[in-house]
mmCIF file of all heavy atoms in Angstrom:
data_model
loop_
_atom_site.group_PDB
_atom_site.id
_atom_site.type_symbol
_atom_site.label_atom_id
_atom_site.label_comp_id
_atom_site.label_asym_id
_atom_site.label_seq_id
_atom_site.Cartn_x
_atom_site.Cartn_y
_atom_site.Cartn_z
ATOM 1 N N ARG A 44 9.342 1.411 2.895
ATOM 2 C CA ARG A 44 10.399 1.867 3.767
ATOM 3 C C ARG A 44 10.556 0.913 4.837
ATOM 4 O O ARG A 44 11.685 0.593 5.316
ATOM 5 C CB ARG A 44 10.043 3.228 4.168
ATOM 6 C CG ARG A 44 10.513 4.239 3.150
ATOM 7 C CD ARG A 44 10.197 5.667 3.634
ATOM 8 N NE ARG A 44 8.770 5.904 3.337
ATOM 9 C CZ ARG A 44 8.016 6.836 3.680
ATOM 10 N NH1 ARG A 44 8.525 7.873 4.509
ATOM 11 N NH2 ARG A 44 6.803 7.001 3.363
ATOM 12 N N LEU A 45 9.607 0.471 5.557
ATOM 13 C CA LEU A 45 9.692 -0.517 6.625
ATOM 14 C C LEU A 45 10.330 -1.822 6.232
ATOM 15 O O LEU A 45 11.136 -2.318 6.953
ATOM 16 C CB LEU A 45 8.354 -0.754 7.337
ATOM 17 C CG LEU A 45 8.289 -1.612 8.488
ATOM 18 C CD1 LEU A 45 9.162 -0.870 9.681
ATOM 19 C CD2 LEU A 45 6.909 -1.842 9.003
ATOM 20 N N ASP A 46 9.999 -2.273 5.067
ATOM 21 C CA ASP A 46 10.483 -3.495 4.520
ATOM 22 C C ASP A 46 12.003 -3.332 4.297
ATOM 23 O O ASP A 46 12.837 -4.237 4.618
ATOM 24 C CB ASP A 46 9.821 -3.932 3.238
ATOM 25 C CG ASP A 46 8.491 -4.408 3.421
ATOM 26 O OD1 ASP A 46 8.143 -4.769 4.569
ATOM 27 O OD2 ASP A 46 7.723 -4.571 2.436
ATOM 28 N N VAL A 47 12.518 -2.205 3.765
ATOM 29 C CA VAL A 47 13.886 -1.997 3.568
ATOM 30 C C VAL A 47 14.602 -1.787 4.746
ATOM 31 O O VAL A 47 15.712 -2.433 4.876
ATOM 32 C CB VAL A 47 14.000 -0.669 2.528
ATOM 33 C CG1 VAL A 47 15.515 -0.242 2.470
ATOM 34 C CG2 VAL A 47 13.439 -0.903 1.185
ATOM 35 N N ILE A 48 14.093 -1.167 5.784
ATOM 36 C CA ILE A 48 14.759 -1.061 7.078
ATOM 37 C C ILE A 48 14.890 -2.418 7.687
ATOM 38 O O ILE A 48 15.889 -2.775 8.283
ATOM 39 C CB ILE A 48 13.993 0.027 7.911
ATOM 40 C CG1 ILE A 48 14.159 1.441 7.436
ATOM 41 C CG2 ILE A 48 14.538 -0.018 9.350
ATOM 42 C CD1 ILE A 48 13.364 2.477 7.986
ATOM 43 N N SER A 49 13.873 -3.155 7.608
ATOM 44 C CA SER A 49 13.838 -4.506 8.208
ATOM 45 C C SER A 49 14.978 -5.271 7.576
ATOM 46 O O SER A 49 15.637 -6.138 8.242
ATOM 47 C CB SER A 49 12.515 -5.224 8.137
ATOM 48 O OG SER A 49 11.503 -4.454 8.820
ATOM 49 N N PHE A 50 14.948 -5.271 6.298
ATOM 50 C CA PHE A 50 15.977 -6.173 5.564
ATOM 51 C C PHE A 50 17.295 -5.699 5.840
ATOM 52 O O PHE A 50 18.305 -6.513 6.130
ATOM 53 C CB PHE A 50 15.720 -5.993 3.962
ATOM 54 C CG PHE A 50 16.765 -6.717 3.250
ATOM 55 C CD1 PHE A 50 16.829 -8.035 3.156
ATOM 56 C CD2 PHE A 50 17.728 -5.864 2.632
ATOM 57 C CE1 PHE A 50 17.717 -8.630 2.327
ATOM 58 C CE2 PHE A 50 18.760 -6.571 1.788
ATOM 59 C CZ PHE A 50 18.817 -7.915 1.711
ATOM 60 N N ALA A 51 17.571 -4.422 5.900
ATOM 61 C CA ALA A 51 18.864 -3.953 6.291
ATOM 62 C C ALA A 51 19.268 -4.353 7.767
ATOM 63 O O ALA A 51 20.440 -4.604 7.955
ATOM 64 C CB ALA A 51 18.982 -2.443 6.076
ATOM 65 N N GLY A 52 18.353 -4.273 8.681
ATOM 66 C CA GLY A 52 18.681 -4.667 10.065
ATOM 67 C C GLY A 52 18.945 -6.180 10.095
ATOM 68 O O GLY A 52 19.878 -6.668 10.817
ATOM 69 N N ALA A 53 18.263 -6.942 9.376
ATOM 70 C CA ALA A 53 18.428 -8.399 9.396
ATOM 71 C C ALA A 53 19.787 -8.736 8.705
ATOM 72 O O ALA A 53 20.512 -9.598 9.277
ATOM 73 C CB ALA A 53 17.353 -9.177 8.684
ATOM 74 N N LEU A 54 20.135 -8.109 7.792
ATOM 75 C CA LEU A 54 21.437 -8.213 7.104
ATOM 76 C C LEU A 54 22.525 -7.840 8.010
ATOM 77 O O LEU A 54 23.571 -8.582 8.144
ATOM 78 C CB LEU A 54 21.486 -7.425 5.665
ATOM 79 C CG LEU A 54 22.702 -7.615 4.838
ATOM 80 C CD1 LEU A 54 22.760 -9.054 4.471
ATOM 81 C CD2 LEU A 54 22.647 -6.735 3.691
ATOM 82 N N ALA A 55 22.393 -6.771 8.735
ATOM 83 C CA ALA A 55 23.435 -6.339 9.620
ATOM 84 C C ALA A 55 23.541 -7.342 10.810
ATOM 85 O O ALA A 55 24.642 -7.650 11.262
ATOM 86 C CB ALA A 55 23.184 -4.905 10.194
ATOM 87 N N VAL A 56 22.545 -7.802 11.426
ATOM 88 C CA VAL A 56 22.554 -8.750 12.468
ATOM 89 C C VAL A 56 23.277 -10.114 11.944
ATOM 90 O O VAL A 56 24.013 -10.699 12.672
ATOM 91 C CB VAL A 56 21.169 -9.044 13.061
ATOM 92 C CG1 VAL A 56 21.172 -10.206 13.978
ATOM 93 C CG2 VAL A 56 20.657 -7.832 13.838
ATOM 94 N N GLY A 57 22.885 -10.539 10.744
ATOM 95 C CA GLY A 57 23.486 -11.769 10.171
ATOM 96 C C GLY A 57 24.994 -11.582 9.962
ATOM 97 O O GLY A 57 25.704 -12.473 10.262
ATOM 98 N N LEU A 58 25.385 -10.457 9.400
ATOM 99 C CA LEU A 58 26.822 -10.201 9.212
ATOM 100 C C LEU A 58 27.592 -10.153 10.630
ATOM 101 O O LEU A 58 28.649 -10.668 10.797
ATOM 102 C CB LEU A 58 27.055 -8.985 8.467
ATOM 103 C CG LEU A 58 26.712 -9.048 6.985
ATOM 104 C CD1 LEU A 58 26.871 -7.638 6.307
ATOM 105 C CD2 LEU A 58 27.697 -10.084 6.337
ATOM 106 N N ALA A 59 26.998 -9.425 11.501
ATOM 107 C CA ALA A 59 27.681 -9.369 12.838
ATOM 108 C C ALA A 59 27.720 -10.711 13.504
ATOM 109 O O ALA A 59 28.687 -11.074 14.198
ATOM 110 C CB ALA A 59 26.847 -8.400 13.772
ATOM 111 N N GLY A 60 26.711 -11.616 13.363
ATOM 112 C CA GLY A 60 26.669 -12.816 13.949
ATOM 113 C C GLY A 60 27.747 -13.792 13.265
ATOM 114 O O GLY A 60 28.370 -14.591 13.948
#
Side-chain angles (χ1 to χ4, degrees):
R44 280 179 272 175
L45 183 62
D46 289 344
V47 169
I48 290 170
S49 299
F50 174 75
L54 187 63
V56 168
L58 287 174

